[in-house]
Amino acid sequence: MEKRNYIPLIILLVISILGAFIPNVPTQIVTEGINSGDTAWLLVSSALVLLMTPGLAYFYGGMVNNKNVISTMLQSFIAMGVISVLWVVIGFSLAFGDDIGGFVGNPTTHFMFKGVLDGPVWGTIPFALFAMFQMKFAVITPALVTGSMAERVNFRSYVLFIILFCIFIYSPLAHMTWHADGILFKMGVLDFAGGTVVHMSAGWAALAGALYLKRRKSLTEDHVLPPANIPFVLLGTGLLWFGWFGFNAGSALSASPLAVSAFATTNTAAGAAGLSWVLFDVARGKKVSALGFCIGAVVGLVAITPAAGFVTVPASLFIGTIAAVISNYVAHLRTRSTLDDTLDVFPCHGVGGMVGMLMTGVFATSGVNSLVTDQGLAFGETTLFINHVIALVGVSVFAFGGSLLLLKITDLILPLRVSELDEKAGLDISQHDEFLIEA
């Protein structure tokens, strides 16, 4: 039996009681200016983005050792609960509330979803739908980080960390990048669907986590442990690829030609990157593998995310191909180091996100999206690319340094790493009293 702990339950009860006493009943439901087609597409897109988190659970769960499958998958699923509640309480307000210095939103603006149900139309969709669409992005971002700390992180500490991460890293980055008064938005930084906000922040947090937790005790010299279930990885990749159409095409916030363009660039980059990864492996004397194609496809999806609604379809071919080659090489370098990023989150999401951010600065064009005021480097202009380089450095320092600090704070409150005995037994049984029955 675990030592009894009533504190988390009490916190949830307090939040729930607040909901009963602060129901924030809408004074009016705004309907003028709402387009039913756009609303329908964003409802579907929100569901597609949420599906990505279970997809991530299968993707990660299939790659870890047999004794850690359930714990790894649960880390994604628990984020759906934790971040959903946190987003309603203050997360959305921190990201999209009234501006404070260009860095974060006022936590009281939409506290407990105040003014959300009866908020002004966001473009052509209800404000509440925009809030829910954005929530799905907030859910998957900390779940991405888990891959770097898999097989050795204390579950309770992980939950505390993702709460802190959402409040102090994700929400401020979302505000800086997507709020009209955000510092990166005012710089002209383009991030169509979260290459900076989601993937770079998760990638740098993953690197911080891998460095802080250090190597697994069970890790072999060549960093190789047998994956539990490659068909799980294939299933997870399919769900991620499918859901990513909501992630990227949904970020057009309308059922429009721009959404179609983002849809096309997303699929093209994923296909090119999957092929690029396995062909790069073949060029280095390795066999074509299911694992390699899956990882490559996800890297392509990551890299096209910031650029999806700003670049042409042929440009997305280049972005997917080059991102997979670079991420594959960085992952190879990682295996030759002492860094134990369990599922290569930094090489795939961190590096992939950075490549995508830079490629957006190269290939963005107003011919695809009229919001592009400064053309990309490929069209002879330098302003956008230089701004993206500056932003890349700033976001990297903020996400890595901030995550490292939050890991330290978390560790002081609850030990981040499980004991050597628990790690040896596996997190499924040591953290959850559950296990897979082996055939």
Side-chain angles (χ1 to χ4, degrees), residues 21-268:
F21 284 93
I22 312 175
N24 286 325
V25 178
T27 56
Q28 62 176 345
I29 299 296
V30 179
T31 57
E32 187 177 350
I34 290 176
N35 181 287
S36 59
D38 294 343
T39 300
W41 169 234
L42 263 294
L43 284 168
V44 172
S45 294
S46 298
L48 287 171
V49 180
L50 185 65
L51 184 66
M52 291 172 68
T53 302
L56 182 70
Y58 276 95
F59 185 73
Y60 279 175
M63 286 194 281
V64 296
N65 192 266
N66 260 333
K67 60 188 179 182
N68 296 304
V69 173
I70 296 170
S71 66
T72 300
M73 295 182 75
L74 180 58
Q75 286 164 11
S76 290
F77 275 90
I78 201 72
M80 294 168 69
V82 172
I83 304 302
S84 292
V85 172
L86 186 63
W87 192 250
V88 168
V89 179
I90 59 167
F92 179 64
S93 198
L94 289 169
F96 293 97
D98 296 337
D99 178 65
I100 299 177
F103 292 97
V104 72
N106 188 326
T108 66
T109 304
H110 301 298
F111 177 71
M112 299 294 286
F113 257 31
K114 179 178 68 176
V116 173
L117 287 176
D118 54 349
V121 174
W122 191 280
T124 57
I125 63 173
F127 188 51
L129 178 54
F130 173 75
M132 295 305 292
F133 179 64
Q134 286 293 333
M135 183 182 76
K136 315 308 181 187
F137 288 69
V139 165
I140 198 170
T141 305
L144 291 170
V145 181
T146 63
S148 71
M149 302 185 284
E151 304 192 320
R152 62 202 188 278
V153 67
N154 183 309
F155 181 75
R156 290 178 296 178
S157 302
Y158 158 73
V159 171
L160 175 58
F161 172 73
I162 66 172
I163 292 170
L164 296 176
F165 178 87
C166 184
I167 293 172
F168 295 105
I169 304 295
Y170 179 84
S171 293
L173 270 179
H175 184 87
M176 286 185 252
T177 307
W178 288 329
H179 193 282
D181 294 319
I183 186 171
L184 296 180
F185 187 92
K186 285 186 171 181
M187 277 178 60
V189 171
L190 301 176
D191 185 1
F192 192 72
T196 304
V197 179
V198 176
H199 297 291
M200 277 183 60
S201 69
W204 282 109
L207 179 61
L211 289 169
Y212 191 87
L213 286 180
K214 300 182 174 57
R215 290 163 60 92
R216 287 162 286 169
K217 302 296 183 183
S218 57
L219 193 64
T220 58
E221 287 185 6
D222 58 1
H223 285 241
V224 175
L225 289 173
N229 193 320
I230 290 178
F232 269 21
V233 181
L234 289 162
L235 174 61
T237 303
L239 291 171
L240 284 168
W241 196 327
F242 179 65
W244 225 292
F245 292 124
F247 203 78
N248 286 359
S251 291
L253 300 181
S254 62
S256 62
L258 181 59
V260 176
S261 179
F263 192 106
T265 57
T266 298
N267 193 73
T268 305

Side-chain angles (χ1 to χ4, degrees), residues 323-365:
V325 170
I326 294 171
S327 290
N328 189 323
Y329 184 67
V330 173
H332 173 66
L333 291 179
R334 198 276 307 166
T335 61
R336 298 172 62 183
S337 72
T338 58
L339 178 69
D340 185 14
D341 181 345
T342 312
L343 304 180
D344 282 325
V345 180
F346 179 72
C348 295
H349 291 275
V351 173
M354 286 187 280
V355 170
M357 186 182 191
L358 292 177
M359 291 299 101
T360 304
V362 173
F363 293 110
T365 171

